Amino acid sequence: MGVRKAVEMAKLALEEHKSCQVWTLGPLIHNQIALDMLANQGIKVLSDSQIKNLQEKDIVVIRAHGVPPQKIEEIKSHGSSVIDATCPLVRASQKRAAKYTSLGYTVFLAGDKNHGEITGIVGYAEEAARENGRYFVIENRKEAEDVIGFIEPSVKAVLISQTTFSPMEFDAIAEILQKKIPTLEVMNTICPATMERQKALADLKGKADGVLIIGGKNSANTRRLLLSAQKYFSIATLIETADEIPPEFFSLKKIALTAGASTPDEVIEEVERVLISKK
């Protein structure tokens, strides 16, 4: 839902501001096919270092992953307009991080430290933090074990998740933190689409000879699908387009398909079509 919304808002910006240059701050979504389509329509990708070169009439679309609030203010300081296409679920996490840090809570963010979504949420936590408010980004259960070594059991704390984080890793982190902080507020903010894909993939175990994961190779949720698939199937491959289907898949009797949250429907349909036509 958040990905489709971001792409639709970018296309609408092109239609409504034909005399202006439309940018996206960083790649709009983690799918090269969709990004190439937008580039062909005139949208350019803006890097952090290019913000200083923005013009007054420029339009900047904030990507689905969101950005720190400081970046939005920097863009506006150049007179450029901002269209915020942050996924509503990510926006909710940003607000929670700001709310709880401002109230003096210790905020734990389960996610990948270098992921754009976590970077944006951290920005909101930093801006709202008071003298006794603090936050930690935790990528895995080992880091959770390390953190609890210097956390007081009586601390007010909340756990929030990156929307594309591994459900199993999130549950493990929550369990470790709760052992030290019994009053920890756990907020499972993983996107339902992410959890549904993982569950559907598990349900396909034993029903196919191999599985193709269709999606961007730099997408966090797509890479996690591949890791899960490798546990369930002896043959599992990540592809971005139908052209990348490995030859051995055409000799398999049954093939399972799944896709990342950012994968356009037409790409999935093309993979299906090619598989069927060559069987």
Side-chain angles (χ1 to χ4, degrees):
M1 175 267 294
V3 169
R4 284 197 176 114
K5 175 176 174 286
V7 173
E8 288 168 3
M9 291 178 73
K11 290 180 178 178
L12 186 61
L14 279 173
E15 293 175 11
E16 294 182 345
H17 305 279
K18 293 181 179 178
S19 62
C20 305
Q21 176 59 57
V22 178
W23 303 82
T24 65
L25 183 55
L28 187 65
I29 59 174
H30 282 161
N31 187 278
Q32 194 57 48
I33 304 296
L35 293 177
D36 289 345
M37 174 193 69
L38 293 171
N40 290 335
Q41 294 178 35
I43 290 182
K44 295 183 179 180
V45 177
L46 182 73
S47 67
D48 287 351
S49 63
Q50 292 175 308
I51 292 177
K52 63 180 180 293
N53 300 323
L54 284 170
Q55 303 298 311
E56 191 170 334
K57 285 188 176 182
D58 286 351
I59 309 294
V60 180
V61 181
I62 302 302
R63 58 188 180 172
H65 302 113
V67 296
Q70 300 86 349
K71 287 294 177 189
I72 293 178
E73 292 307 313
E74 185 182 356
I75 292 168
K76 289 181 177 179
S77 72
H78 293 276
S80 302
S81 298
V82 171
I83 295 175
D84 192 352
T86 302
C87 170
L89 296 177
V90 176
R91 168 64 67 195
S93 292
Q94 293 172 344
K95 289 180 178 178
R96 288 188 181 104
K99 171 187 172 181
Y100 283 99
T101 50
S102 68
L103 292 174
Y105 276 66
T106 294
V107 176
F108 298 104
L109 300 172
D112 305 310
K113 289 184 175 69
N114 296 320
H115 194 280
E117 179 184 335
I118 288 294
T119 302
I121 295 172
V122 164
Y124 281 85
E126 285 179 345
E127 188 175 67
R130 298 293 183 265
E131 188 176 335
N132 58 344
R134 57 183 176 174
Y135 64 89
F136 298 92
V137 178
I138 301 176
E139 291 192 330
N140 50 53
R141 59 198 78 189
K142 182 185 181 302
E143 290 188 3
E145 293 280 8
D146 293 340
V147 165
I148 61 172
F150 54 88
I151 298 292
E152 309 81 16
S154 59
V155 73
K156 294 187 300 182
V158 62
L159 173 64
I160 300 170
S161 177
Q162 176 182 320
T163 58
T164 55
F165 200 55
S166 162
M168 288 185 291
E169 198 68 38
F170 177 81
D171 289 342
I173 290 170
E175 184 179 354
I176 291 167
L177 294 178
Q178 283 177 315
K179 285 180 181 177
K180 182 66 178 285
I181 313 167
T183 58
L184 176 74
E185 294 182 41
V186 178
M187 297 184 176
N188 188 333
T189 50
I190 297 174
C191 175
T194 299
M195 292 187 283
E196 286 166 6
R197 280 167 169 75
Q198 289 284 349
K199 183 180 182 301
L201 184 59
D203 291 342
L204 287 170
K205 181 181 178 182
K207 297 178 182 177
D209 305 308
V211 60
L212 287 173
I213 295 89
I214 311 164
K217 292 175 182 175
N218 60 341
S219 165
N221 76 85
T222 305
R223 289 198 305 270
R224 286 200 178 89
L225 276 175
L226 175 62
L227 289 173
S228 295
Q230 289 169 339
K231 297 176 185 176
Y232 305 138
F233 297 87
S234 58
I235 303 175
T237 303
L238 171 60
I239 61 171
E240 291 193 341
T241 67
D243 295 336
E244 297 178 3
I245 299 173
E248 61 266 30
F249 273 84
F250 296 107
S251 62
L252 298 179
K253 186 176 180 181
K254 288 185 179 181
I255 300 169
L257 293 181
T258 186
S262 302
T263 307
D265 293 342
E266 55 265 31
V267 176
I268 301 169
E269 290 162 4
E270 176 65 7
V271 170
E272 267 193 275
R273 188 191 65 77
V274 171
L275 286 170
I276 292 170
S277 67
K278 293 188 179 182
K279 288 294 285 183

